[in-house]
Amino acid sequence: MPGFRRWGKSRFQKNPESSFKLLAAVLIITLYLIIKEFSSPPIHVPNSYNVGADIQYKAWQNGTEHADTEKATAVRDAMKYTFWKYRQSAWGYDDVRPVSGEGANSRNGWGAFIVDSSTTLALMGLYDELALCVQHIIAIDFTKTEDLVDPFETTIRYLGGLVSLVDLADAGLVPENIINAEARGLILQQAVTLANSLGPAYDTPTGMPYPRVNFNTSEGVPDPPSVYIEHPERPRYDNPVIGPARTGSSILEARTLTRLTGDPIYAKNATMAWAPMVWNKWITPWKGMVDAPIDIVTGQPVGRQRHWDSGHDSYYEYLVKMTLLSPPADPYMKDYKSRFLDAATSLRTHLASRSAPAPSHTMQHLFIGRQDAQWFLNKQSHLACFAPGTLLLASKHYLEPDLHTFALALLEACHHTYTSTPSKIGPEAWSWVPKFGYDDPIYLPSTNRQKKEWETSGFWSTDAAYKGRPEYLESLFYAWRITGEQRYRDWAWEAFQALETHCKAPFGYAGLSDVYRPNGPGAGWVDEQESYWASETLKYAYLVFAAKEVASLDRWVFSTEGHLFRMIR
Ligand SMILES: *[C@@H]1O[C@H](CO)[C@@H](O)[C@H](O)[C@H]1NC(C)=O
Ligand SMILES: *[C@@H]1O[C@H](CO)[C@@H](O)[C@H](O)[C@H]1NC(C)=O
Ligand SMILES: *[C@@H]1O[C@H](CO)[C@@H](O)[C@H](O)[C@H]1NC(C)=O
């Protein structure tokens, strides 16, 4: 079990008799912990909950906790538009291309949009639409696919969606005529089938998953050559390697599936998958943070990248969320908590970076950079704007007021990237001149455009695209529900209106090639709409304006794909 990884061998070697006693004691304790974790019967608590957590703001005044119906309806209308355009032109494909209306498959062709959007439809009460999804979901053959299967994407989008749908039904949030007992059973069976088909991913010496699974042969396999064609700069290693997010973002889905089925294997495999990071043996210079990428055969890092941004993000997110999802008595929760708090401290000490004032912009903003070996990279991506939300959640759950202040400062910086562009949508990635510590930063504005952006806003875009991403709205949702401050609702409304203005296309919501150049309708649209647009971006926007009881953070834990699971505490 993972806990063993922290104990050195030496203490077993001093005296054979005492080593034997120690070993016996260790075995008994381990057995006890295993039995304790997994012996409880499957927990079904329809229409009620055990005790939840105290996360949401409670001192609401003047009716601010009520829904802002007009704005919530506007977001719901955007979801309806998204759904029906997909339904009419690409039903059954993974996604619709929002400009041309073509169907596109990049998630094994099982209809990723349908599964991913279903939990948003349920929360919005769009039941006619949800009924169509349920019909499709119970008919998918999850054992067959043309392509290799990516365990990470498949777990967060498909498995998470299925398991969440069962939880929503069990909580009484879906009418009986949309998901009755039989349909519930079939959806859960689909989740089991899919999870079992992904099983071979975990057949590695460490339990860290293979990058892909071949469903024809039921074998885990390395990254396909296409990955190296897309990323020619990527080094080749002896064994398959994996990043923290890809191996550390299945425990919420798996733990919930274990609760729903009573089968411990899902939680066990997910625990092993992130164990080399949680209980790592190697020395990391910064407490709580892991170096990556990691060799799945040895469990050792083969690179020295260390950050909370793309590819690492949801490992840290799942550490704190797991301690909310699980009963506190579950083994390892203390370890997850201390690991998270250490990583948050390291983020704050080593990666948070205040921007130096620029000629026409004297305000400073707190961005987050990355570390690669000895280099600090003064570059943040939109994905890292998940961090404020996750840190706010942790600050409330662990009663850490410093994290609260830190998180709101990071959120202000993400807000600044949105309000600084002509479209009022933030770019995919940006850089700044650090105020402290770096006389010679890695990135400086070089083109005229970059210099101009830097002079007027204190940062410059390094990738000016928008890809339908949710992280900013996600953090605004946490900020609104945790602080109750109106400004976060206002910011969310501004962002939503900008998306409505610039991204709405004939068959859905398009990406933008350049958030600084929204040149008239349709100019610069990117013909892609990833399923997270429906499962996250629109869901979080809606929840900001919904009543505070809808998907309360006191009762539900959101996955990194925006699917929500009940806390059973
Ligand atoms: C609620 O309304 C009262 C009276 O108008 C006002 O004094 C108070 O500041 C308001 N509280 C909030 C949180 O807006
Ligand atoms: C699996 O088998 C089918 C049918 O023979 C084939 O079309 C598909 O390419 C195979 N998939 C992989 C990943 O090899
Ligand atoms: C669990 O992991 C084992 C390898 O340790 C693997 O053989 C099995 O298929 C996995 N099962 C599931 C459901 O993940």
Side-chain angles (χ1 to χ4, degrees), residues 108 144-149 213-217 221:
N108 301 98
K144 290 206 174 62
T145 171
E146 290 278 303
D147 305 314
L148 295 174
V149 182
V213 181
N214 183 336
F215 276 20
N216 287 353
T217 58
V221 295

Side-chain angles (χ1 to χ4, degrees), residues 195-196 198-200 202-203 265-266 269:
N196 290 347
L198 290 173
Y202 299 100
D203 277 324
I265 190 70
Y266 309 109
N269 279 6

Side-chain angles (χ1 to χ4, degrees), residues 197-208:
S197 307
L198 290 173
Y202 299 100
D203 277 324
T204 61
T206 54
M208 298 185 114

